[in-house]
Amino acid sequence: GHKNWKEIIENKKNPMLNRAIQSQYPPASTFKIITAIAALEEGVIDPKTKINCTGGMSYGKWSFGCWKKHGPVDMHNAIVESCDVYFYEMGKRLGIDKIYKYASAFGLGKKTGIEITNSNEKKGFIPNTEWKQAKKGQPWYIGETFIASIGQGYITATPAQMAMVMSTFANGGYSYKPYILMGNQHPASEMISLKPDTVRIVREALAAVVNSPNGTAKGARSNITTIGG
């Protein structure tokens, strides 16, 4: 009744907010997948090349930390152990506009288009040099690229968008628009044009995030099926 409804709409935790499509968060380490894809597709690093993580990196008078001292890591281990320094280096080699290009190809920065009446879906945000100049009247700084390459700073995404990104690797390279399906309908999908090696390298690393002893999500391991994360 009316009393229950009043309790719901006055609840500080805002239970009526559809967080999956209406909340925008910094995707943080989940975004490192996008930086990895950009680095592989643009050929800025051989995936076997190691970058030495000493627990952070300095650039001019600024320093950018890592959550732990990883030592030398290649791309596989950088994803498995979520090394920030490796991805700062990838960001430096790529520049924000290339990161923007691949983030956009994966549907970030635009609505998923899920068909929910009055969904008020949010589109998240992926910055680039042009936006910064137009919006803030300032050039883009490399320190901002470092922060963006690990999914922080100006970058935001909805949980539904990041689920779409992850599903692309679960199914081998197809991007599915999220649908609410009835019966045996099949959702439309499009192949994201990536080199087969790019999909394989990232997919294997995502599986190891959960299944390798030093993976950051080893707690999510399951006896029933193989999970990636």
Side-chain angles (χ1 to χ4, degrees):
H2 176 73
K3 184 169 171 285
N4 289 4
W5 178 242
K6 192 168 180 291
E7 266 173 33
I8 289 167
I9 57 171
E10 287 175 0
N11 187 321
K12 296 257 191 306
K13 290 184 175 168
N14 205 356
M16 295 303 286
L17 178 68
N18 183 345
R19 287 176 172 79
I21 59 171
Q22 293 172 346
S23 287
Q24 304 172 100
Y25 307 99
S29 289
T30 57
F31 189 82
K32 288 174 182 171
I33 305 166
I34 300 290
T35 308
I37 290 153
L40 290 166
E41 290 293 302
E42 296 290 327
V44 300
I45 194 165
D46 180 310
K48 293 188 174 65
T49 303
K50 294 191 170 176
I51 303 285
N52 188 29
C53 168
T54 57
M57 71 176 278
S58 296
Y59 191 86
K61 60 180 183 192
W62 295 278
S63 60
F64 300 87
C66 192
W67 65 279
K68 97 180 226 202
K69 185 175 172 178
H70 290 97
V73 286
D74 59 11
M75 183 171 282
H76 179 86
N77 288 326
I79 294 173
V80 173
E81 300 179 37
S82 199
C83 173
D84 295 337
V85 166
Y86 184 94
F87 289 99
Y88 295 150
E89 180 60 36
M90 295 308 99
K92 186 165 96 180
R93 295 182 186 194
L94 285 160
I96 190 64
D97 291 337
K98 288 208 171 95
I99 294 173
Y100 173 86
K101 172 182 154 186
Y102 289 93
S104 302
F106 273 81
L108 298 178
K110 47 188 180 268
K111 296 178 182 184
T112 67
I114 189 165
E115 290 153 347
I116 298 174
T117 314
N118 306 325
S119 73
N120 192 20
E121 183 180 8
K122 299 290 185 275
K123 58 183 187 179
F125 183 69
I126 308 293
N128 60 9
T129 49
E130 197 183 321
W131 164 81
K132 178 108 190 278
Q133 196 63 59
K135 195 78 183 159
K136 302 199 177 275
Q138 287 177 328
W140 182 269
Y141 300 115
I142 190 158
E144 294 172 317
T145 304
F146 294 158
I147 300 300
S149 67
I150 60 164
Q152 298 190 12
Y154 297 115
I155 292 181
T156 61
T158 66
Q161 286 174 326
M162 292 315 295
M164 269 179 75
V165 170
M166 290 301 272
S167 76
T168 308
F169 291 94
N171 67 50
Y174 289 90
S175 176
Y176 283 91
K177 173 184 165 183
Y179 281 87
I180 293 165
L181 291 179
M182 287 179 71
N184 58 359
Q185 294 165 273
H186 280 280
S189 69
E190 58 174 301
M191 185 81 178
I192 296 184
S193 64
L194 299 170
K195 299 172 195 157
D197 260 5
T198 299
V199 177
R200 180 187 59 78
I201 289 164
V202 174
R203 197 179 157 143
E204 283 173 4
L206 293 174
V209 165
V210 176
N211 299 293
S212 129
N214 50 351
T216 51
K218 56 180 182 283
R221 209 169 298 162
S222 160
N223 298 325
I224 302 162
T225 187
T226 307
I227 296 172

